Amino acid sequence: MFNLILFGPPGSGKGTQSEKLIAKYGLKHLSTGDLLRSEIAAQTPLGIEAKSFMDKGQLVPDEVVIGMISSALDSNPDAKGFLFDGFPRTEAQAEALDKLLKLKKTAIHLMLAMDVSEAELIKRLLGRGKTSGRSDDTNEEVIKARIAEYHKKTTAVADYYMKFDKVKHIKGEGTVDEIFAAISKEIEGKI
Ligand code: AP5
């Protein structure tokens, strides 16, 4: 089993690169953002609660996303590995994920952290907001709040995995294919 975290600020390209990675390596893609947006579309109580945080650019409470990931791991017993996209986003989520994977006698093997400048992130997200229908992409203040949450709560997750020597940095600017080639190179050495 090979378990990968694709890490980076909002708009760094996690979703874009995930699509290519799952096609190449056959990993099961677990995006907490996508799971939350499905709950919102289905208007479940969880989705209604999550939307109030997401629309402000704030993180959804840990117990909500940890519960979703726990169910997703249980629902995919035959996966050859997982690609975590947008999770973990706090140290508490990272610790919970380690425990869940340990119960399944596996672990995180690699975290790839994509580095992109703030100006480029804002440009990409405002650009996507014109067509995506994502309410958190249309307002620059909300985009800035998401980036601020990342600095306040999420960068600590990279420090957490750094202690276990599991982090590699990737230059997240350039063409999608150039970035994918750099990511694939790091994975080839570990998978
Ligand atoms: P989530 O859905 O995870 O969104 P995000 O982290 O804000 O990331 P994005 O999907 O916006 O960006 P991305 O890095 O995937 O980039 P993408 O490939 O899409 O989270 C949304 C919200 O849900 C959070 O704010 C929070 O409220 C909640 N949430 C989710 N997970 C949570 C958790 N674990 N805990 C608590 N709350 C949670 O690309 C972005 C754009 O850039 C696209 O238009 C793309 O085409 C373009 N692009 C990509 N690569 C390039 C490139 N190389 N050059 C030019 N453009 C590019």
Side-chain angles (χ1 to χ4, degrees):
M1 205 170 196
F2 180 76
N3 300 309
L4 171 70
I5 297 172
L6 203 52
F7 185 79
S12 55
K14 302 182 296 292
T16 304
Q17 296 296 334
S18 289
E19 277 183 29
K20 294 172 77 72
L21 287 168
I22 53 173
K24 181 167 180 182
Y25 296 105
L27 302 172
K28 174 73 190 164
H29 183 206
L30 293 184
S31 155
T32 38
D34 288 349
L35 292 170
L36 290 166
R37 281 183 289 276
S38 301
E39 297 281 342
I40 293 172
Q43 296 191 325
T44 65
L46 189 156
I48 291 165
E49 189 199 351
K51 189 173 179 342
S52 64
F53 292 95
M54 292 165 78
D55 282 349
K56 286 184 263 181
Q58 295 169 356
L59 292 187
V60 172
D62 285 337
E63 57 275 18
V64 173
V65 284
I66 292 167
M68 281 189 336
I69 287 289
S70 176
S71 314
L73 292 175
D74 288 343
S75 313
N76 290 282
D78 299 327
K80 60 187 262 198
F82 292 96
L83 166 50
F84 296 95
D85 161 4
F87 181 90
R89 257 172 148 105
T90 63
E91 210 168 325
Q93 292 179 22
E95 284 168 2
L97 178 61
D98 278 358
K99 282 192 193 135
L100 289 170
L101 292 175
K102 202 166 176 187
L103 286 173
K104 299 192 181 304
K105 303 202 177 352
T106 185
I108 290 297
H109 297 94
L110 179 64
M111 170 190 269
L112 293 174
M114 294 201 286
D115 300 322
V116 177
S117 72
E118 188 161 325
E120 173 71 12
L121 297 174
I122 294 171
K123 191 174 108 192
R124 286 183 189 178
L125 293 175
L126 282 174
R128 183 175 64 185
K130 289 181 189 145
T131 54
S132 68
R134 264 181 69 165
S135 55
D136 58 350
D137 280 349
T138 42
N139 178 326
E140 188 164 341
E141 290 315 308
V142 174
I143 291 174
K144 285 185 173 161
R146 285 158 66 194
I147 295 171
E149 280 282 84
Y150 172 80
H151 289 299
K152 194 165 139 203
K153 299 178 181 163
T154 305
T155 50
V157 175
D159 300 336
Y160 174 86
Y161 287 103
M162 203 91 82
K163 285 189 285 195
F164 306 105
D165 199 20
K166 290 185 174 171
V167 183
K168 293 280 178 201
H169 282 267
I170 300 283
K171 184 170 167 270
E173 294 186 43
T175 68
V176 169
D177 286 343
E178 281 164 357
I179 298 164
F180 183 62
I183 288 176
S184 297
K185 201 168 154 199
E186 290 297 345
I187 294 175
E188 300 296 339
K190 302 269 179 192
I191 203 163

